[in-house]
Amino acid sequence: MNNLIFSPHTDDAIFSLGDYIIDSDSNFIIASAFAGIPKDWAGYRKHIRLRQEHDEACAMIGAKVINGDLLDDVYGEQDKSLLTSWIKESIVKHDVEEVFPLNVFIPLGIHHPDHVLLSDCLFKIINHYNCTFFIYAELPYRLAYPELYKSRLEYLHSIYNLENVSVNFTQHKIDAIKKYNSQIAHVHDPSYIDEDLIDKLIVEEKLWKIIQ
């Protein structure tokens, strides 16, 4: 089974679906939308390091990553048309329907602009494809912004028939999470791991199947 997870950044998918990926025998590809490499030195260095962390974490959970060329939203407003084109190309490239139907995973779209943008762009095109679509709730945003999470989920429930997918709480993704030193290190002391953030990520994952 081919599984294509769309994510603003690779770590969003690993944080939010790591247990689900590890617990499955299927093939998972993480399509990381905003993985472009900036030209400024600080941004270049940061994103090169992130790509290395992505590769190491994905190797631990048995997933592959596709790096999109769009830049992070800290570099300005993102181009919806370019994002939509990239989404469509990614689906077509991996939808080997004569062998396996494609499962496509959409971030719920909680709080952060790039999460909402990617989510909205995906929901606008799902009727054009004969895929099975799923929605996942992003961590740690689900816990940090419970009201936004609740309102977004209620909104999507009003539009789609959503079936809850039970995810085994294996906690096996913790080693992959710890690969993200640039993300979980304490801001004032990079040698100190932010255990509070790790605790927020080691929780039961939330996933729904869209029944069409």
Side-chain angles (χ1 to χ4, degrees):
M1 183 70 70
N2 281 341
N3 298 277
L4 183 60
I5 302 174
F6 283 100
S7 184
H9 303 92
T10 309
D11 55 339
D12 297 311
I14 293 174
F15 294 166
S16 308
L17 288 174
D19 275 342
Y20 180 77
I21 295 170
I22 292 172
D23 198 43
S24 173
D25 294 328
S26 298
N27 176 46
F28 284 87
I29 300 168
I30 300 172
S32 185
F34 308 115
I37 305 296
K39 294 181 179 179
D40 67 286
W41 174 239
Y44 176 86
R45 183 172 57 182
K46 174 185 176 182
H47 285 269
I48 288 295
R49 181 177 180 185
L50 266 177
R51 282 197 179 193
Q52 180 182 354
E53 291 175 344
H54 292 333
D55 290 342
E56 292 174 354
C58 284
M60 296 193 73
I61 66 172
K64 296 181 180 180
V65 62
I66 303 170
N67 290 310
D69 293 326
L70 293 173
L71 294 179
D72 191 284
D73 62 359
V74 300
Y75 290 91
E77 186 175 354
Q78 292 148 327
D79 191 316
K80 292 182 182 180
S81 61
L82 287 178
L83 176 59
T84 300
S85 295
W86 176 79
I87 289 170
K88 292 178 178 179
E89 290 171 5
S90 299
I91 292 176
V92 170
K93 181 178 180 180
H94 296 94
D95 189 9
V96 189
E97 194 170 346
E98 67 272 15
V99 180
F100 295 115
L102 181 67
N103 291 333
V104 175
F105 295 75
I106 303 173
L108 184 64
I110 305 171
H111 176 64
H112 205 279
D114 58 4
H115 287 241
V116 177
L117 176 62
L118 178 60
S119 182
D120 286 345
C121 287
L122 278 156
F123 282 119
K124 286 182 180 178
I125 57 93
I126 64 173
N127 290 330
H128 301 161
Y129 297 94
N130 186 29
C131 302
T132 301
F133 289 92
F134 295 81
I135 302 171
Y136 67 92
E138 307 99 286
L139 289 169
Y141 294 114
R142 168 167 64 92
L143 302 178
Y145 304 96
E147 292 303 318
L148 290 177
Y149 159 68
K150 181 180 178 181
S151 62
R152 179 70 169 176
L153 183 58
E154 288 177 348
Y155 167 70
L156 292 173
H157 262 297
S158 72
I159 300 174
Y160 301 103
N161 182 12
L162 304 182
E163 176 182 277
N164 183 65
V165 177
S166 179
V167 180
N168 289 333
F169 185 30
T170 67
Q171 305 183 55
H172 291 158
K173 67 181 179 182
I174 189 168
D175 290 335
I177 289 173
K178 289 182 177 179
K179 287 293 182 182
Y180 283 96
N181 290 333
S182 66
Q183 304 293 86
I184 64 176
H186 194 277
V187 65
H188 299 299
D189 180 4
S191 66
Y192 175 79
I193 298 301
D194 188 349
E195 296 290 346
D196 288 340
L197 178 56
I198 293 178
D199 288 343
K200 292 178 182 178
L201 297 169
I202 306 302
V203 295
E204 185 177 359
E205 298 165 358
K206 298 296 183 182
L207 180 66
W208 302 267
K209 180 180 180 180
I210 299 179
I211 307 299
Q212 296 178 305

